[in-house]
């Protein structure tokens, strides 16, 4: 295949990241990348860089809604400075119970995924909006959906199934997991020596952890939605369902509208909880570390809950895998927060996880375990865009996934 310009569109709950690759037989060259962040605020961010890192845009526009945000991306793509994309890959957190394969996007497929917005309520509305806009902007260009849930499709039923009445299971309520493209990219980078017993923790503003056997997902912490699993920036993670019922009843004292009450409960569990809820300060690890240095007890408790929960989860996945060969930490916190890495691993010596303080004193890719640690601990930044481009090229060529 001669090389093709492939556009990657990756939306978060309040951001749109984009990058254009020149991709062909084994070669992947990024021509430019950028992002619009802070959608829904008066002081958003819009930046773009070319392949050499030169700034093409660095602005702080008002971004009242996603339409204004996407127009900035559309204008950049149509500026004529770069080739028109020959294909577009869209990251999608969850396509619900029926859209489980990476595939070409049609208007009907978008409607189908939209109907399952409850499976990723913070992410699906903006992702389907961008898909519809991209189809309108480039009507002759094939668009593909690349799913985070795809990597987790190999989980056994015992990991997927939720302990709920069958009528809800029949509606597709089960564990799907998220961050799958990040996990896929870690396994991809470890090839050809993927350890048999691997745990990867993706610790970003959203945090999750997966047990991976011989490169295939065995279990993952996020559930039906990204709100489950580890405590993260603004999400509870797994929690006694009685807590949600308690909060729902408190909300119901003030509103009789069931839909409005559900929205409020969702905001509590997904946007106001986690590190932010406990610290009453910030969902950002950098802010919390600063506050801890100033003696802030709530920030200390929030971060302790975070690292303690991750350590517990690592223990349970060692049990599931029947041992451990390698632990990989990734995501903004995994890659950069030296203290979190040390705190997570501090009590895990009994599992064979021993960090080397000096090796751990770095940012970015590194082996951070001690020479004699039975388990290798690595920091590996994810390459999500690369995985999306790889899938797009495969699907353009009509090939099935060798995995
Ligand atoms: P992500 O969602 O992967 O972009 O990760 C965001 C999280 O990474 C936030 O909690 C940030 O505070 C954290 N993070 C990013 N850079 C650093 C850094 N240099 N030190 C500590 N935490 C960081």
């Amino acid at each position: 295949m001669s090389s093709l310009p492939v556009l990657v569109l990756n939306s978060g709950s309040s951001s749109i990241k984009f990058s254009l690759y020149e991709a062909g037989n084994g070669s992947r060259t990024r021509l430019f990348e950028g992002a619009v962040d802070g959608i829904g605020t008066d002081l958003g961010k819009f930046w773009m860089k070319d392949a050499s890192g030169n700034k093409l845009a660095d602005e702080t526009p008002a971004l009242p809604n996603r339409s204004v945000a996407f127009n900035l991306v559309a204008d950049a793509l149509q500026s004529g400075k770069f080739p028109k994309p020959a294909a577009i890959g869209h990251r999608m957190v969850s396509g619900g119970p029926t859209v489980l394969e990476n595939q070409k996007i049609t208007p009907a497929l978008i409607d189908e995924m939209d109907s399952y917005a409850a499976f990723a309520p913070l992410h699906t509305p903006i992702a389907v909006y961008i898909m519809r806009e991209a189809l309108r902007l480039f009507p002759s260009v094939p668009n593909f959906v690349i799913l985070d849930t795809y990597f987790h499709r190999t989980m056994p039923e015992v990991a997927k199934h939720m302990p709920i009445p069958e009528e809800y299971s029949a509606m597709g309520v089960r564990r799907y997991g998220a961050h799958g493209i990040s996990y896929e990219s870690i396994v991809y980078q470890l090839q050809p020596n993927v350890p048999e017993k691997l745990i990867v923790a993706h610790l970003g503003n959203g945090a999750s952890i997966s047990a991976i056997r011989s490169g295939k997902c065995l279990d993952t912490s996020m559930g039906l939605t990204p709100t489950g699993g580890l405590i993260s920036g603004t999400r509870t993670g797994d929690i006694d369902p009685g807590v949600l019922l308690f909060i729902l009843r408190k909300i119901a004292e003030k509103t009789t509208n069931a839909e409005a009450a559900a929205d409020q409960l969702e905001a509590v569990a997904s946007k106001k909880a986690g590190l932010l809820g406990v610290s009453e300060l910030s969902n950002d690890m950098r802010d919390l570390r600063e506050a801890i240095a100033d003696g802030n007890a709530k920030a200390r408790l929030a971060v302790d809950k975070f690292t303690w929960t991750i350590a517990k989860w690592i223990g349970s996945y060692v049990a599931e895998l029947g041992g451990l060969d390698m632990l990989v930490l990734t995501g903004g916190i995994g890659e950069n927060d030296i203290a979190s890495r040390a705190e997570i691993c501090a009590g895990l010596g009994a599992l064979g996880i021993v960090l080397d303080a000096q090796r751990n004193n770095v940012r970015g890719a590194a082996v951070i375990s001690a020479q004699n640690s039975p388990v290798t601990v690595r920091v590996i930044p994810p390459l999500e865009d690369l995985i999306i481009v790889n899938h797009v090229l495969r699907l353009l060529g009509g090939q099935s996934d060798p995995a």
Side-chain angles (χ1 to χ4, degrees):
M1 190 192 290
S2 58
S3 68
L4 297 170
V6 177
L7 175 67
V8 175
L9 291 174
N10 181 347
S11 52
S13 49
S14 62
S15 67
I16 308 169
K17 291 187 201 151
F18 55 99
S19 55
L20 187 73
Y21 283 75
E22 189 71 43
N25 284 332
S27 73
R28 307 278 184 269
T29 309
R30 193 170 59 211
L31 301 181
F32 72 83
E33 64 174 329
V36 195
D37 208 350
I39 300 173
T41 65
D42 288 340
L43 196 63
K45 267 194 201 146
F46 171 53
W47 63 267
M48 262 176 78
K49 283 192 278 195
D50 68 13
S52 318
N54 300 315
K55 276 186 188 160
L56 303 174
D58 188 10
E59 297 162 20
T60 50
L63 296 172
N65 54 48
R66 59 195 180 195
S67 156
V68 172
F70 187 76
N71 283 341
L72 288 170
V73 181
D75 289 347
L77 294 173
Q78 292 176 304
S79 66
K81 285 190 200 138
F82 297 98
K84 183 180 157 189
I88 303 176
H90 296 257
R91 176 203 172 206
M92 183 76 181
V93 172
S94 173
T98 55
V99 183
L100 297 166
E101 295 292 324
N102 299 328
Q103 58 191 287
K104 190 165 173 195
I105 295 172
T106 62
L109 186 79
I110 300 177
D111 291 346
E112 188 175 342
M113 293 189 289
D114 200 4
S115 74
Y116 292 113
F119 289 52
L122 301 185
H123 298 86
T124 296
I126 185 161
V128 296
Y129 171 80
I130 289 168
M131 286 176 199
R132 290 190 178 108
E133 288 298 300
L135 253 53
R136 204 174 50 77
L137 201 63
F138 299 112
S140 58
V141 175
N143 282 247
F144 298 91
V145 60
I146 312 302
L147 294 151
D148 270 315
T149 51
Y150 180 74
F151 179 73
H152 303 300
R153 71 196 183 289
T154 52
M155 283 187 294
E157 189 60 22
V158 69
K160 285 182 188 167
H161 204 90
M162 296 272 187
I164 51 173
E166 177 55 29
E167 62 174 306
Y168 298 105
S169 299
M171 294 174 193
V173 177
R174 65 165 173 83
R175 182 182 307 283
Y176 290 88
H179 289 145
I181 300 169
S182 167
Y183 291 121
E184 219 178 316
S185 86
I186 301 300
V187 171
Y188 177 85
Q189 293 179 74
L190 289 171
Q191 278 167 359
N193 299 312
V194 183
E196 187 200 341
K197 296 168 183 174
L198 171 69
I199 294 176
V200 182
H202 180 113
L203 309 176
N205 196 29
S208 73
I209 185 165
S210 289
I212 300 169
R213 192 196 295 286
S214 305
K216 296 205 160 69
C217 182
L218 177 68
D219 203 353
T220 193
S221 59
M222 283 178 172
L224 174 72
T225 71
T227 309
L230 304 179
I231 164 178
S232 61
T234 59
R235 304 177 197 150
T236 56
D238 283 8
I239 193 159
D240 169 6
V243 174
L244 296 182
L245 292 171
F246 177 90
I247 297 170
L248 182 61
R249 290 203 171 96
K250 285 284 155 205
I251 292 170
E253 285 171 9
K254 294 189 188 142
T255 173
T256 50
N257 180 318
E259 194 57 38
D263 285 348
Q264 281 185 47
L265 181 60
E266 182 175 304
V268 170
S270 293
K271 296 183 183 165
K272 299 181 183 173
L275 293 174
L276 174 66
V278 178
S279 70
E280 293 192 296
L281 175 73
S282 173
N283 59 312
D284 193 296
M285 186 56 81
R286 283 164 293 200
D287 298 340
L288 296 175
R289 288 290 172 198
E290 264 181 50
I292 290 169
D294 291 342
N296 184 317
K298 285 182 184 167
R300 182 70 266 174
L301 178 63
V303 174
D304 282 349
K305 275 211 77 70
F306 179 72
T307 54
W308 179 77
T309 309
I310 296 162
K312 271 209 317 195
W313 228 288
I314 290 171
S316 71
Y317 281 171
V318 171
E320 276 191 51
L321 287 162
L324 185 63
D325 300 317
M326 186 184 287
L327 170 67
V328 174
L329 303 171
T330 190
I333 297 171
E335 288 162 50
N336 297 297
D337 196 44
I338 294 157
S340 282
R341 300 196 300 236
E343 288 163 18
I344 291 165
C345 295
L348 298 180
L351 302 181
I353 295 171
V354 185
L355 284 202
D356 179 305
Q358 212 167 358
R359 286 182 174 182
N360 186 37
N361 196 18
V362 289
R363 298 221 156 86
V367 173
I368 57 170
S369 45
Q371 190 80 39
N372 61 353
S373 175
V375 173
T376 306
V377 185
R378 291 183 60 168
V379 175
I380 305 179
L383 296 174
E384 288 160 302
D385 286 2
L386 184 74
I387 294 298
I388 294 174
V389 171
N390 287 352
H391 277 298
V392 166
L393 289 189
R394 175 177 67 74
L395 291 163
L396 265 181
Q399 293 159 17
S400 60
D401 190 346

